[in-house]
Amino acid sequence: MALEIAPGKTRIGWIGTGVMGSSMCGHLLAAGYQSTVYNRSRSKSKPLVDRGAIEADSPKKVAESSDIVFTIVGFPADVREVTLGAEGTLAGSRAGSVLVDMTTSEPALAREIFEAAKAKGVDTVDAPVSGGDIGAREARLSIMIGGEKAVVERLDPLFQLMGKTIVHQGPAGAGQHTKMVNQILIATNMIGVCEALLYGYKAGLDLNQVMQSVGSGAAGSWSLNNLGPRMIAGNFEPGFFVEHFLKDMGIALAESRRMNLALPGLALAEQLYRAVAAQGLGRKGTHALLLALAQLSNVDWKKSSP
Amino acid sequence: MALEIAPGKTRIGWIGTGVMGSSMCGHLLAAGYQSTVYNRSRSKSKPLVDRGAIEADSPKKVAESSDIVFTIVGFPADVREVTLGAEGTLAGSRAGSVLVDMTTSEPALAREIFEAAKAKGVDTVDAPVSGGDIGAREARLSIMIGGEKAVVERLDPLFQLMGKTIVHQGPAGAGQHTKMVNQILIATNMIGVCEALLYGYKAGLDLNQVMQSVGSGAAGSWSLNNLGPRMIAGNFEPGFFVEHFLKDMGIALAESRRMNLALPGLALAEQLYRAVAAQGLGRKGTHALLLALAQLSNVDWKKSSP
């Protein structure tokens, strides 16, 4: 029998209190949910603890005192450890509780966790997000969900506190697959945005003026209109880290191989982003691809930003 | 001394009355401009003649009875013939008249025409457009303009009748270069849109549902939101022909070679679109790239459209 989810009734656990997780867990706290938190670097949990969250020593202990545990950590290996490890959430979960992984991770791992949890009577949902730090802060995330319908519906009041576009995409793994669709779109489009700006620069055009002509028609995209001006201004600070994007493309390529699907554009993007990382730009934003493509043709991009 | 442009004062010539040209010339006719037209296939000029346009036998004769001559034809070779050929517009132009090429054509050819015309005291402007047949019909085109400032400003009342986003990008050729920026953006993004949908399809997702999750965030683009639903529905009728897009990519690659600029994404797009044409899809819309990528991995896309 599934309990109704409500503040005062439902105990929340939260693992991973980085930039994204802190904002997201913060919304649950603000709505009155009792929350137990864990983060590998403890200092990052402090602002949430200051707001009333309880700190636990391990993911397992978080699960022991929670009805629903959210995770949003770094890499699939981290998801595996905090969920299936000896000190992981599943070890501390009792039948009827729910594990929700919001990390961008492997669809195959989401299904593995689903099966392992099922055997203990624990429900799981994969629910990666897009929208970045700003989307997390403003509770405007797109949440892409895989899992059983009844479980996903039950979690809806919590997702509503974190996101704006909340879509149940299918069974376990479908949330992760949808996030991969999202990342494939971004990866290949970013090549086009960077190459188009480089072409315009080499052709001697005024790139801000070019944006006026191409930004709102058939060539328009979120990346062009939001990251294009930053590239033109020479600002490559992250939004989203190159090294995290490389992780996502690696997952998408691995899944594509498994499905016997050739994706030449994604493969090219992944190789070009390897070059970005090789040039020491792994902690820059994804639009730093422009700098690697500029270097490829020996273009001094900085000269373009007055 | 440049004459003011106004209906009743300024005689317009129009060469190329295809889908785009007919709508665009039609707006000038509707505003009261006397227009002399020419098209290789005469039948295509008939609707404009029925509305009061005068038909001429050659581009040269159009120019002889016009103050300002617009051209929008197929390929750079056509632009060269109707402009610089023995029966071309320049041969029929007198000093003080203006030639405006709205074809998507070579920046280098635009500069060559500019110089040849200058020697006769004739002004020229390159002003390719984006926005397609609907944009032309609704006078909502983006018009990207290269040429001398005073000439471009003088033409503004005419451009205002055809377009919504009218930007002077720089000297002769700059309009064409800006259009290439536009096409590079579209070409590479289209790979991403097609690969992302193929991935989602092979992963067993409901693609219409996926669109809800990915369409409005960082992965969003005009192509995704406008052509994605057509691809999902199995509708590959043109918008914009694959064979015309191949022409544009060929121009952009040639200019990039000239500028010593390596654009691996654009090069890949051009190769994949060659495959689209090789599969007999040259007269389909640009989004037929999806079918070529589906064939590459032996995916039966039609099964995806109910």
Side-chain angles (χ1 to χ4, degrees):
Chain A
M1 192 206 63
L3 286 167
E4 188 207 346
I5 289 182
K9 278 188 173 175
T10 311
R11 298 167 306 158
I12 299 294
W14 198 283
I15 290 155
T17 55
V19 176
M20 299 291 291
S22 290
S23 288
M24 294 155 79
C25 179
H27 296 311
L28 303 184
L29 268 179
Y33 285 96
Q34 179 196 314
S35 304
T36 306
V37 302
Y38 171 83
N39 196 70
R40 203 161 41 187
S41 318
R42 290 203 156 211
S43 61
K44 290 196 180 163
S45 298
K46 184 148 189 315
L48 291 168
V49 172
D50 289 345
R51 290 172 60 188
I54 301 152
E55 192 161 24
D57 278 349
S58 70
K60 184 181 173 187
K61 288 195 176 152
V62 170
E64 283 168 353
S65 53
S66 304
D67 303 305
I68 299 168
V69 182
F70 293 87
T71 47
I72 183 161
V73 293
F75 289 80
D78 302 316
V79 173
R80 180 177 293 280
E81 190 192 335
V82 300
T83 310
L84 301 177
E87 290 298 312
T89 53
L90 190 55
S93 297
R94 57 175 207 303
S97 61
V98 188
L99 305 179
V100 182
D101 183 30
M102 305 190 81
T103 318
T104 295
S105 173
E106 296 163 356
L109 177 58
R111 287 190 299 272
E112 182 185 340
I113 290 171
F114 176 84
E115 296 300 339
K118 199 81 188 158
K120 280 194 67 170
V122 173
D123 292 314
T124 72
V125 162
D126 50 298
V129 302
S130 78
D133 51 347
I134 297 169
R137 201 160 56 230
E138 297 179 352
R140 296 171 56 85
L141 295 169
S142 171
I143 308 179
M144 303 162 238
I145 311 170
E148 289 177 342
K149 190 160 184 281
V151 180
V152 173
E153 283 175 356
R154 204 180 139 221
L155 294 169
D156 193 62
L158 299 175
F159 288 138
Q160 295 291 348
L161 293 170
M162 298 184 249
K164 193 184 142 214
T165 308
I166 295 148
V167 185
H168 179 208
Q169 291 288 355
Q176 296 297 351
H177 273 312
T178 303
K179 180 68 189 277
M180 290 301 120
V181 169
N182 194 78
Q183 302 307 72
I184 294 169
L185 287 163
I186 293 174
T188 311
N189 186 37
M190 195 72 81
I191 304 176
V193 172
C194 294
E195 293 191 359
L197 291 180
L198 276 170
Y199 176 101
Y201 171 61
K202 283 284 279 187
L205 300 174
D206 174 328
L207 294 178
N208 287 306
Q209 221 167 246
V210 168
M211 290 290 294
Q212 291 174 41
S213 283
V214 305
S216 58
S221 64
W222 188 97
S223 292
L224 177 66
N225 290 315
N226 288 274
L227 301 177
R230 294 192 213 172
M231 299 185 209
I232 294 169
N235 171 6
F236 295 96
E237 290 314 300
F240 187 59
F241 286 131
V242 164
E243 59 192 28
H244 288 163
F245 200 39
L246 269 167
K247 169 197 75 167
D248 298 353
M249 287 185 280
I251 294 170
L253 283 169
E255 288 290 327
S256 302
R257 270 194 294 278
R258 199 187 52 73
M259 301 191 288
N260 252 331
L261 184 64
L263 299 180
L266 176 63
L268 174 63
E270 198 264 353
Q271 288 294 298
L272 291 174
Y273 272 101
R274 288 259 155 244
V276 180
Q279 291 176 24
L281 304 169
R283 299 289 285 180
K284 294 291 179 185
T286 50
H287 53 303
L289 175 60
L290 183 110
L291 296 175
L293 283 165
Q295 180 144 324
L296 185 64
S297 294
N298 203 26
V299 174
D300 186 357
W301 181 257
K302 282 172 196 152
K303 286 195 183 150
S304 85
S305 51
Chain B
M1 194 203 65
L3 286 166
E4 188 208 346
I5 289 181
K9 278 190 173 172
T10 310
R11 297 167 307 157
I12 299 294
W14 197 284
I15 290 157
T17 55
V19 175
M20 299 291 291
S22 290
S23 289
M24 293 155 80
C25 179
H27 295 309
L28 302 185
L29 268 179
Y33 284 96
Q34 178 195 313
S35 304
T36 306
V37 302
Y38 171 84
N39 196 70
R40 205 160 43 187
S41 318
R42 291 205 156 213
S43 62
K44 290 196 181 162
S45 299
K46 187 155 186 313
L48 291 169
V49 172
D50 289 347
R51 290 171 63 188
I54 300 152
E55 193 162 23
D57 278 350
S58 69
K60 184 180 173 186
K61 287 192 175 153
V62 170
E64 283 168 352
S65 52
S66 304
D67 303 305
I68 298 168
V69 183
F70 292 88
T71 47
I72 183 161
V73 294
F75 290 79
D78 302 317
V79 173
R80 181 178 291 280
E81 190 192 334
V82 302
T83 309
L84 301 177
E87 291 298 312
T89 52
L90 189 55
S93 296
R94 54 170 212 309
S97 62
V98 188
L99 304 179
V100 183
D101 184 28
M102 304 190 80
T103 317
T104 295
S105 174
E106 297 162 356
L109 178 57
R111 286 190 299 271
E112 180 184 340
I113 290 171
F114 176 84
E115 295 299 339
K118 199 82 190 157
K120 280 194 67 172
V122 173
D123 292 314
T124 71
V125 161
D126 51 298
V129 301
S130 79
D133 51 346
I134 296 168
R137 202 159 59 230
E138 298 178 351
R140 295 169 56 84
L141 294 169
S142 171
I143 309 180
M144 302 160 238
I145 310 171
E148 289 177 342
K149 190 160 182 279
V151 180
V152 173
E153 281 175 357
R154 203 178 138 219
L155 294 169
D156 193 62
L158 300 174
F159 288 138
Q160 294 290 347
L161 293 169
M162 300 183 247
K164 194 182 140 217
T165 307
I166 295 148
V167 185
H168 179 210
Q169 291 289 355
Q176 296 299 349
H177 273 312
T178 304
K179 180 68 189 276
M180 289 303 119
V181 169
N182 194 78
Q183 302 306 73
I184 294 168
L185 287 163
I186 293 175
T188 311
N189 186 36
M190 195 73 81
I191 304 176
V193 171
C194 294
E195 292 190 0
L197 291 179
L198 276 169
Y199 177 101
Y201 171 59
K202 283 284 279 188
L205 299 174
D206 175 328
L207 293 179
N208 286 307
Q209 222 167 249
V210 169
M211 289 291 293
Q212 291 173 41
S213 285
V214 304
S216 58
S221 64
W222 188 97
S223 291
L224 177 67
N225 290 314
N226 288 274
L227 300 176
R230 296 193 212 172
M231 300 184 207
I232 294 168
N235 171 8
F236 294 96
E237 290 315 300
F240 187 61
F241 287 131
V242 165
E243 58 190 30
H244 289 164
F245 200 40
L246 269 167
K247 169 197 74 167
D248 298 354
M249 286 185 280
I251 295 170
L253 284 169
E255 289 290 329
S256 302
R257 268 193 296 277
R258 198 185 55 70
M259 300 190 290
N260 254 331
L261 184 65
L263 299 180
L266 175 62
L268 175 63
E270 198 265 353
Q271 288 294 295
L272 291 173
Y273 271 102
R274 290 259 155 243
V276 180
Q279 291 176 24
L281 303 170
R283 300 289 285 179
K284 294 292 183 188
T286 49
H287 53 303
L289 175 61
L290 183 111
L291 296 175
L293 284 166
Q295 179 143 325
L296 184 65
S297 293
N298 204 26
V299 173
D300 187 357
W301 182 258
K302 282 173 195 151
K303 285 191 183 154
S304 84
S305 52

